[in-house]
Structure formats: C-alpha cells, structure tokens
Amino acid sequence: MGVKYCFRKNDHVVIAMPYLEHESFLDILNSLSFQEVREYMFNLFKALKRIHQFGIVHRDVKPSNFLYNRRLKKYALVDFGLAQGTHDTKIELLKFVQSEAQQERCSQNKSHIITGNKIPLSGPVPKELDQQSITKASVKRPYTNAQIQIKQGKDGKLMKQSKTVDVLSRKLATKKKAISAKVMNSGVMRKTASSCPTSLTCDCYATDKVCSICLSRRQQVAPRAGTPGFRAPEVLTKCPNQTTAIDMWSAGVIFLSLLSGRYPFYKASDDLTALAQIMTIRGSRETIQAAKTFGKSILCSKEVPAQDLRKLCERLRGMDSNTPKLTSDIQGPASHQPTVSEKTDHKASRLIQTPPGQYSGNSFKKGDSNSCGCCFDEYTTNLEGWNEVPDEAYDLLDKLLDLNPASRITAEEALLHPFFKDMSL
C-alpha cells in the first residue's frame, strides 16, 4: 500500500497511507463480468506472491482487505495487523515477534525443565537462572538497559539517587513471579495427573464427555487469528505449523464467492461448525484424510460426499436450469456431528449441521434484504462470459481449496495456471 508518513502522538503511532477509492465487494459481486473476475484473482495472487516471497503470512485475506478500484483497475492488499512470519521469514521484525510467540508457547515446557533441575517451587530464582535471563534480555533488547543512578549511603547501603525506574528490572521481577507461579501450577497439575494410574487409557474419545485423563493434558496452542469463514482447515483444527498456505485457502474462498455469486459463502459461529461447513463442500472422508497429514483426528457421525464445484457454483448462481430455484424457506436439519481432536487429546464435542442449501446462514437465502448474502434482484448481473466458464476455473478452485496445506497450490503456481494463460505478469 505504501506509507506517506508516520508520527507519534503520546502513546499512539499514526501511519498515513495513500487512499485508494474502492468499491464494496458485496455491491459489485454479481455485476462483475467473468473477465473482471479473472483480473481480480490474478492481481490477488500477484500480491500474495509478493508477500510470501518475504516469508509473510497475511492471515486475514478477505474481500474487504483487498481493495479494488473498478474504474482505474487498481488493486491493493491491506491490513497487515494479523500478519506473521514463517520460520524462514526475511523480515527482522516478524522474526522477533515470532520468537516472542514461540517463547510464550514453550512457557509450560520451561516449568518442566526447571523442576527437573530441582529448583524449589517457591522462593527466589537462583542466580544462574537470573543471570541467564539478564544476559538474554540485554542481548535481545539493548535499548532497555538500566539508566538508574545508584550511590552508596553513609551506612554502606546502596541508595537510589533518582526515581527513574528501570523497565528491564520490572520485567525481570514480573518474570520471576510468573516462573514461580507456573512451576507451582505445573506441580499441582502433575500431582493431579499422577493420581491417575498411567495404565488407564482415555475412554471419552468420540463421546460427549471429557475424562480426567484428557483434562490433565496440556492444551495445544496454535495461531487461530483470521476472519470466520476464511480460516483454513489447519487453522480450525489448531495445527501448530501454519504456513502461507492459509492465505491461499482464503483466496480460494473468495474465488468460490465470485464463481457462486454468494457472499459470505461460509458463515459459522465456531470452529467446529466452520469445519462441518467445509465438509459439506469438500467431503467428510477427504477432510478426515487430510487432517491425518498434519496430526489431527476428526470424527463425523455421518459420511458427507464431496460436491462437484462446477455444479455447485452454477446452481447457486442460477445458471443451471435443471435445478429448482433456491428459496429462503429451506428447512430440515441434518445430523452431521464432527468431532476434532489431537491424536493425544481426545476431546469430543457435538454440533448440529444444516443441509447444504442453508448451511452458511443467510448467505444462501435469496430475496432477504436483511441477510448478509447477496440478492440477485438488487444488482444488475453482467452475464458476459458466465455462460461458458472454462474447466480451468474450477480446477484452480479445487487446488486452492485443497484440504492438505502441503499440496495446496502456491501463489506463484496459481499465476502460472492455465486459467490465466493469456494474462502477463
């Protein structure tokens, strides 16, 4: 997007960026020609390729964060407030933020290491640990070194000459207390866990309860940032190793909205419901199989077949004359009840899943002015090119919505896809 200038006002930092006049995605969704959709997706992949080259994961790719000026044919990917770096990111700031997050995630492991070294559960932290903390902190943040002046009093005691407080000292003191508290809590947790014989195995898997064995296990921490409806399966299932592939999934959801004429396409209040909605499109068996590749186990009470993307999009857009018209009074809940868990953390949950015609809330309803979905009657649809959407479009969509992040298409590969064969970089 670029930066014009920035300044600081008290505790606030203000960044002034160029203003790009742009259209609302919802307003223009069903008035875009097929060629405009191609140009839109092509420029989105160009932006994603650019940031992914630097090891940046945007984490919040959605239409409102990809500005489009229809008249000037200008595009801009904005709002990097949730951006993170990959393990090999080239951005120094993201490396620092990532290391901080990793330290936070490993805090529970630290407590085990401390206990293994026979450090008492209460009392002061040993000098060795304290000295290591000071050394690490001084290397990481040299600009927070102490600026406090100390002089020796008449009675031989050290006295502060200034009321200036060393920020580093305060942080270390807080860190000592936190370490002590974490060690104590860890000791209690291990005591609770050890009260259960190790020979016992979890008996709550695929049920509607959580046993004491599962409760004694540490929760897995993984990034979940993003906008509901655009989060990838690996984000919904708390996969710890998330890559730039999550941005490509989000781009696939945008493409799905463009081809189907429905926005938002997915609309769920929680992660399990979101996962169930993905299953209704991509299939339950395929979702379960893909989850195994990144160490997750998913259960579904009923097998849901994968849908043909072309037939689905044409039916929703109203291009398929053989399919009855969708109405807003579709009812009748189904009984899909997926359960997500780690292979070592068997926690069960339940949810009710609605049929494909209504599963994304109001986004599948037509003629409802209060709904979040698009109403075809409100906008003039540009049918240019929509009567002959090539197979390459749905092939690209299939590759973007690949449930396995390892094999999901990259931005660089997407730009070389036959769907953009006559478009130049």
Side-chain angles (χ1 to χ4, degrees), residues 125 172-182:
V125 178
L172 286 176
T174 307
K175 192 173 183 181
K176 288 179 188 177
K177 292 179 182 178
I179 291 175
S180 179
K182 284 176 183 175

Side-chain angles (χ1 to χ4, degrees), residues 25-281:
F25 185 78
L26 189 61
D27 290 345
I28 65 172
L29 176 58
N30 287 293
S31 64
L32 293 173
S33 67
F34 183 69
Q35 178 59 24
E36 284 181 289
V37 169
R38 291 180 69 219
E39 293 171 356
Y40 183 96
M41 293 305 301
F42 187 77
N43 282 277
L44 175 58
F45 292 139
K46 281 175 66 176
L48 291 177
K49 176 189 174 183
R50 177 69 175 171
I51 66 170
H52 291 173
Q53 284 177 338
F54 291 97
I56 298 173
V57 186
H58 188 282
R59 289 201 73 91
D60 199 19
V61 175
K62 57 183 178 180
S64 58
N65 285 341
F66 186 59
L67 309 184
Y68 171 42
N69 186 308
R70 198 173 185 182
R71 182 175 58 86
L72 300 176
K73 295 290 183 183
K74 284 191 175 182
Y75 308 83
L77 182 62
V78 300
D79 195 352
F80 286 75
L82 298 178
Q84 291 181 335
T86 58
H87 67 280
D88 57 348
T89 182
K90 298 176 183 177
I91 308 298
E92 292 299 322
L93 177 63
L94 289 178
K95 284 181 183 177
F96 176 76
V97 173
Q98 188 182 38
S99 64
E100 289 285 322
Q102 287 174 347
Q103 288 177 13
E104 221 171 289
R105 286 197 294 269
C106 295
S107 60
Q108 291 179 330
N109 294 333
K110 287 181 182 178
S111 63
H112 287 272
I113 296 170
I114 293 171
T115 306
N117 291 333
K118 297 183 180 179
I119 294 176
L121 297 181
S122 60
V125 178
K127 291 182 180 179
E128 294 82 3
L129 182 63
D130 192 17
Q131 188 62 37
Q132 288 176 4
S133 301
I134 293 173
T135 305
K136 288 181 181 178
S138 60
V139 171
K140 187 160 49 174
R141 291 180 177 172
Y143 52 83
T144 58
N145 285 339
Q147 296 180 354
I148 198 166
Q149 297 179 12
I150 301 175
K151 69 175 183 177
Q152 190 171 3
K154 295 179 180 178
D155 53 356
K157 294 182 179 179
L158 294 177
M159 298 173 58
K160 294 181 181 178
Q161 189 177 15
S162 170
K163 290 185 179 180
T164 306
V165 181
D166 178 15
V167 178
L168 179 59
S169 299
R170 285 192 301 180
K171 288 185 177 179
L172 286 176
T174 307
K175 192 173 183 181
K176 288 179 188 177
K177 292 179 182 178
I179 291 175
S180 179
K182 284 176 183 175
V183 173
M184 290 179 70
N185 291 336
S186 177
V188 173
M189 285 180 64
R190 277 195 305 279
K191 189 175 180 181
T192 305
S194 62
S195 62
C196 299
T198 54
S199 58
L200 288 179
T201 56
C202 167
D203 61 350
C204 70
Y205 188 58
T207 66
D208 58 349
K209 64 178 182 178
V210 182
C211 68
S212 58
I213 296 175
C214 287
L215 286 173
S216 67
R217 296 191 176 111
R218 291 197 306 274
Q219 295 293 316
Q220 185 176 48
V221 179
R224 291 180 60 254
T227 298
F230 292 90
R231 290 201 284 253
E234 61 268 30
V235 178
L236 297 173
T237 54
K238 291 186 177 180
C239 178
N241 301 318
Q242 298 174 18
T243 65
T244 54
I246 67 175
D247 287 344
M248 299 307 293
W249 174 275
S250 302
V253 176
I254 295 176
F255 196 25
L256 185 57
S257 285
L258 288 166
L259 291 176
S260 66
R262 299 306 172 96
Y263 178 78
F265 194 90
Y266 292 122
K267 188 178 181 183
S269 57
D270 58 84
D271 290 351
L272 280 183
T273 306
L275 194 61
Q277 291 178 356
I278 290 174
M279 283 184 181
T280 62
I281 304 296

Side-chain angles (χ1 to χ4, degrees), residues 176-390:
K176 288 179 188 177
K177 292 179 182 178
I179 291 175
S180 179
K182 284 176 183 175
V183 173
M184 290 179 70
N185 291 336
S186 177
V188 173
M189 285 180 64
R190 277 195 305 279
K191 189 175 180 181
T192 305
S194 62
S195 62
C196 299
T198 54
S199 58
L200 288 179
T201 56
C202 167
D203 61 350
C204 70
Y205 188 58
T207 66
D208 58 349
K209 64 178 182 178
V210 182
C211 68
S212 58
I213 296 175
C214 287
L215 286 173
S216 67
R217 296 191 176 111
R218 291 197 306 274
Q219 295 293 316
Q220 185 176 48
V221 179
R224 291 180 60 254
T227 298
F230 292 90
R231 290 201 284 253
E234 61 268 30
V235 178
L236 297 173
T237 54
K238 291 186 177 180
C239 178
N241 301 318
Q242 298 174 18
T243 65
T244 54
I246 67 175
D247 287 344
M248 299 307 293
W249 174 275
S250 302
V253 176
I254 295 176
F255 196 25
L256 185 57
S257 285
L258 288 166
L259 291 176
S260 66
R262 299 306 172 96
Y263 178 78
F265 194 90
Y266 292 122
K267 188 178 181 183
S269 57
D270 58 84
D271 290 351
L272 280 183
T273 306
L275 194 61
Q277 291 178 356
I278 290 174
M279 283 184 181
T280 62
I281 304 296
R282 304 303 284 161
S284 57
R285 184 185 300 174
E286 291 80 357
T287 307
I288 292 168
Q289 196 64 36
K292 288 181 181 178
T293 62
F294 47 86
K296 296 294 176 178
S297 179
I298 300 176
L299 293 181
C300 186
S301 62
K302 183 178 179 181
E303 185 172 336
V304 184
Q307 295 197 39
D308 182 281
L309 293 175
R310 175 182 280 278
K311 290 180 179 178
L312 173 69
C313 292
E314 288 181 349
R315 178 167 64 93
L316 294 176
R317 183 169 275 276
M319 304 297 289
D320 187 359
S321 57
N322 298 323
T323 306
K325 233 179 179 183
L326 286 175
T327 58
S328 59
D329 56 355
I330 298 175
Q331 291 183 357
S335 58
H336 311 324
Q337 298 178 346
T339 301
V340 187
S341 70
E342 277 190 69
K343 287 185 176 177
T344 58
D345 186 12
H346 306 310
K347 291 193 174 182
S349 302
R350 292 178 181 268
L351 60 87
I352 302 296
Q353 180 58 39
T354 53
Q358 197 185 10
Y359 69 84
S360 61
N362 291 331
S363 59
F364 272 14
K365 296 182 181 180
K366 293 181 68 175
D368 182 0
S369 59
N370 295 323
S371 74
C372 295
C374 297
C375 177
F376 285 105
D377 299 333
E378 293 180 14
Y379 308 108
T380 303
T381 305
N382 188 338
L383 296 177
E384 185 183 344
W386 286 108
N387 56 340
E388 46 186 21
V389 177

